[in-house]
Amino acid sequence: DAGVIQSPRHEVTEMGQEVTLRCKPISGHDYLFWYRQTMMRGLELLIYFNNNVPIDDSGMPEDRFSAKMPNASFSTLKIQPSEPRDSAVYFCASSQAKSGANVLTFGAGSRLTVL
Amino acid sequence: AQTVTQSQPEMSVQEAETVTLSCTYDTSENNYYLFWYKQPPSRQMILVIRQEAYKQQNATENRFSVNFQKAAKSFSLKISDSQLGDTAMYFCAFMKRSGGSNYKLTFGKGTLLTVNP
C-alpha cells in the first residue's frame, strides 16, 4: 500500500491567492482527517469525514477554509483567499473503523507558506 | 473536552540509555485509547504505540513501552536502548471510544527528544 498521499509537498503563494491541498487516503479506509500543525498551536483537527460525509468541521478556522470529499479516494482542502497566518503544515490522515482502536495513518504533509 | 499535556518541551539522552517521556490527560470518559506518535525531521507522523484504557496491561512494542496509570490519568513512554534514529518530536494523543462515529485524535504539544552519540 502506498499510504496516504498528499500533494503538493510544498506550496509557496502570495496573500490573496487560492490554495488547494489534495489527499488520497488508503484504500478501504472510511475516515479521513485534515490536521494543521503550527509552532504556536501544535496539531489541530480542522475537519473529518466518515464515508465521504463531513462529520465535524468545528475546527475549520473561518469561512476562507473549505474541504470536500467527492469520493472515497480523494479529498481537498481549499483556502480562499489565503493569508500569511495560514502558513503551516497541513496533514491528511485516514483510518478504518473497527471494534478496536482506530489507528490514524498520516500523509507526509503539505507545507504551505503564504507571503 | 479532552486535553493532553506534555510537560517536557525538550529532552535529551545518550545513545543506548533509557529515557521516559511524560504525558497526562484530562477526560471524563471511561473508555478511550491513548497513542504515542513520533515525528522525525522528515515530518512524517509515525505511530509508536497505542494503549486501550480498558486493558490494565501496559503496551509494549520492541524497545518502546508505556506506563499507563488510569486513575492518575498518566501515560508515559519509555524508550530503552535509545538509538540515533529515535531523535524526533514525540506526541501523546487521546481518542474517545464511543458507540458513535467519534474517532478524532487530540494531541499534546509534543516533546522534542534528541539522542546524542
Side-chain angles (χ1 to χ4, degrees):
Chain A
D1 197 326
V4 177
I5 300 173
Q6 290 187 246
S7 65
R9 282 276 285 169
H10 301 93
E11 174 91 5
V12 179
T13 190
E14 293 187 346
M15 183 174 62
Q17 295 298 306
E18 178 179 292
V19 174
T20 299
L21 307 179
R22 298 172 177 80
C23 175
K24 177 179 169 55
I26 292 174
S27 177
H29 280 193
D30 51 357
Y31 281 83
L32 184 139
F33 304 81
W34 282 101
Y35 280 86
R36 179 171 67 176
Q37 184 178 33
T38 60
M39 288 292 291
M40 290 295 293
R41 300 174 69 93
L43 280 153
E44 304 173 277
L45 176 66
L46 299 178
I47 185 171
Y48 77 96
F49 297 82
N50 177 218
N51 292 323
N52 313 338
V53 177
I55 302 300
D56 183 351
D57 65 354
S58 60
M60 297 286 263
E62 44 196 280
D63 292 345
R64 298 184 297 105
F65 286 70
S66 62
K68 294 182 179 180
M69 192 164 186
N71 57 62
S73 59
F74 184 66
S75 177
T76 59
L77 178 67
K78 188 173 293 187
I79 309 172
Q80 166 64 19
S82 59
E83 296 182 4
R85 60 193 168 118
D86 301 331
S87 297
V89 179
Y90 291 82
F91 285 99
C92 176
S94 70
S95 67
Q96 184 179 56
K98 294 181 180 178
S99 58
N102 192 15
V103 176
L104 274 66
T105 301
F106 284 79
S110 295
R111 179 179 294 279
L112 173 65
T113 303
V114 184
L115 303 174
Chain B
Q2 289 72 37
T3 59
V4 178
T5 302
Q6 294 179 248
S7 59
Q8 306 149 314
E10 295 187 37
M11 294 189 72
S12 63
V13 64
Q14 291 300 120
E15 195 174 7
E17 293 187 349
T18 295
V19 64
T20 298
L21 309 183
S22 301
C23 173
T24 58
Y25 57 95
D26 187 23
T27 184
S28 58
E29 301 287 329
N30 191 47
N31 293 319
Y32 49 88
Y33 302 102
L34 295 163
F35 302 81
W36 280 97
Y37 277 84
K38 71 181 274 190
Q39 186 179 38
S42 67
R43 197 170 77 201
Q44 182 75 49
M45 294 285 287
I46 302 166
L47 177 68
V48 175
I49 199 166
R50 70 172 189 250
Q51 174 79 41
E52 295 158 12
Y54 62 89
K55 290 187 177 179
Q56 292 187 338
Q57 186 173 4
N58 289 323
T60 299
E61 288 287 344
N62 301 314
R63 299 182 294 107
F64 299 87
S65 61
V66 298
N67 183 5
F68 173 49
Q69 301 289 328
K70 190 172 184 180
K73 295 181 182 176
S74 171
F75 183 60
S76 60
L77 174 69
K78 186 172 82 170
I79 305 174
S80 303
D81 186 24
S82 297
Q83 300 175 0
L84 296 179
D86 295 334
T87 292
M89 183 73 84
Y90 286 81
F91 293 96
C92 179
F94 173 100
M95 177 189 287
K96 286 199 295 184
R97 183 188 186 202
S98 62
S101 300
N102 193 345
Y103 294 110
K104 58 185 180 181
L105 277 175
T106 300
F107 287 91
K109 294 291 189 186
T111 296
L112 179 60
L113 175 67
T114 301
V115 180
N116 298 309

